[in-house]
């Protein structure tokens, strides 16, 4: 089964980081977050990827084109233009890098992948979120519910601020520090899709999270897989710092591979 990764957005809330590079190339522990996501899938035996490019997509192409140079030791002989790679740390990956247009919306990007996916079900996620999700359990639930054109992983994110409850006189009667679940269940990516989902996408201007998912929900074709473990989206500089701290302290829950 192929894994489709949305990797074309601007990532404006990361400021200077995404002035220089696409959001999926922002690093955790010296490796792009895109690499971490792919390692998570590969750990479950999913080794074939279709990456949907947009903003600064050439940097993602260059990363994979020069993967051996980045990951291993090399000797470069300038006399005869020969490069020898030593102790190569390769991955069992087949990666298709698909140009989908800088301004194409998420639905349009997914639709452009149709010719590369055939009539098979496929995994779908965003290029900015990491998790310790059980992908086998996700896929099993999807297969057990044939009416679901999309099975979406959902999580209860931790609130960013404490919750205060006060009476009319201004006396605080309740305080809860950043309670998990206060925001309800949200879309965490890590989806499984049947090819029928393409029929709900009109074109490049379609936002997948708007009309397609809304229509799938009201028509009974959208299933939730509830994940209660770790999940975090790298949406801001604060998120990036937290993820890098977890990695540096060897406390990264999403690192399920050896």
């Amino acid at each position: 089964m192929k894994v489709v990764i949305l990797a074309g957005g601007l990532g404006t809330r990361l400021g200077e980081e995404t002035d220089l590079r696409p959001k999926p190339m922002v690093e955790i522990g010296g490796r792009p977050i895109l690499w971490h996501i792919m390692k998570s899938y590969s750990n479950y035996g999913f080794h074939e990827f279709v990456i949907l490019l947009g903003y600064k997509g050439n940097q993602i192409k260059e990363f994979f084109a020069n993967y051996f140079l980045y990951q291993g030791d090399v000797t470069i002989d300038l006399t005869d233009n020969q490069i020898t790679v030593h102790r190569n740390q390769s991955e069992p990956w087949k990666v298709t890098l698909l140009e989908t247009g800088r301004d194409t919306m998420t639905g349009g990007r997914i639709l452009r992948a149709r010719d590369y996916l055939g009539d098979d079900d496929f995994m779908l996620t965003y290029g900015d979120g990491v998790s310790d999700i059980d992908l086998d359990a996700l896929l099993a639930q999807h297969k057990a519910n044939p009416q679901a054109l999309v099975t979406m992983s959902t999580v209860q994110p931790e609130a960013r601020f404490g919750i205060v409850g006060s009476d009319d006189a201004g006396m605080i009667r309740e305080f809860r520090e950043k309670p998990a679940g206060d925001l309800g269940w949200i879309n965490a990516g890590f989806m499984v899709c049947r090819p029928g989902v393409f029929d709900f996408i009109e074109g490049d201007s379609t936002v997948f999270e708007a009309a397609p998912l809304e229509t799938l929900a009201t028509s009974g074709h959208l299933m939730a897989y509830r994940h209660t473990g770790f999940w975090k989206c790298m949406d801001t500089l604060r998120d990036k710092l937290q993820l890098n701290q977890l990695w540096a302290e060897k406390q990264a829950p999403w690192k399920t591979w050896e």
Side-chain angles (χ1 to χ4, degrees):
M1 180 178 288
K2 295 179 181 179
V3 180
V4 177
I5 303 178
L6 287 157
L10 297 177
T12 54
R13 286 190 288 271
L14 272 168
E16 292 181 0
E17 282 283 359
T18 48
D19 287 343
L20 302 173
R21 70 193 82 187
K23 190 176 181 182
M25 293 300 291
V26 176
E27 294 183 348
I28 302 172
R31 303 282 183 89
I33 189 172
L34 178 62
W35 178 88
H36 291 260
I37 296 166
M38 294 170 70
K39 287 288 285 186
S40 295
Y41 276 101
S42 188
N43 185 53
Y44 281 87
F46 301 102
H47 304 308
E48 193 164 354
F49 300 90
V50 179
I51 301 177
L52 308 182
L53 306 178
Y55 174 70
K56 295 186 181 295
N58 280 344
Q59 291 191 23
I60 299 177
K61 286 183 176 179
E62 289 169 3
F63 174 75
F64 287 105
N66 297 305
Y67 193 83
F68 292 144
L69 295 179
Y70 293 134
Q71 303 302 320
D73 300 331
V74 297
T75 296
I76 302 174
D77 189 339
L78 299 180
T79 61
D80 58 5
N81 197 29
Q82 293 292 318
I83 298 177
T84 304
V85 180
H86 312 283
R87 294 188 293 180
N88 171 35
Q89 301 175 19
S90 62
E91 305 287 351
W93 298 346
K94 180 178 179 181
V95 184
T96 298
L97 300 161
L98 181 58
E99 291 286 357
T100 63
R102 186 180 186 277
D103 299 319
T104 303
M105 297 293 101
T106 49
R109 296 190 197 282
I110 295 166
L111 186 60
R112 289 192 181 205
R114 187 174 196 170
D115 291 342
Y116 296 86
L117 300 172
D119 297 325
D120 298 325
D121 292 5
F122 59 95
M123 296 279 191
L124 171 67
T125 198
Y126 302 100
D128 61 0
V130 288
S131 177
D132 62 356
I133 186 169
D134 185 336
L135 294 172
D136 286 340
L138 167 65
L139 183 57
Q141 179 174 314
H142 179 75
K143 289 181 176 180
N145 294 275
Q147 80 279 12
L149 293 180
V150 176
T151 299
M152 172 194 295
S153 296
T154 60
V155 296
Q156 291 183 302
E158 182 183 80
R160 289 191 181 272
F161 305 100
I163 303 299
V164 174
S166 60
D167 59 22
D168 292 341
M171 184 63 70
I172 294 175
R173 302 297 184 184
E174 178 188 22
F175 182 85
R176 290 180 293 152
E177 174 61 10
K178 302 177 182 177
D182 188 73
L183 301 177
W185 293 87
I186 67 167
N187 172 16
F190 296 96
M191 307 177 216
V192 190
C193 304
R194 291 187 165 90
V197 72
F198 294 120
D199 297 335
F200 291 79
I201 303 172
E202 292 186 1
D204 283 356
S205 62
T206 302
V207 177
F208 185 61
E209 298 77 13
L213 288 182
E214 291 169 3
T215 304
L216 286 166
T218 57
S219 60
H221 295 302
L222 182 60
M223 174 71 65
Y225 173 79
R226 290 189 169 184
H227 174 59
T228 56
F230 178 85
W231 172 86
K232 191 167 185 62
C233 174
M234 190 168 63
D235 197 40
T236 65
L237 180 58
R238 176 176 179 269
D239 297 326
K240 178 202 168 186
L241 294 174
Q242 288 177 343
L243 289 168
N244 272 279
Q245 183 177 357
L246 286 171
W247 186 267
E249 295 173 351
K250 301 187 185 304
Q251 298 294 323
W254 69 90
K255 186 183 181 301
T256 56
W257 61 89
E258 293 297 326

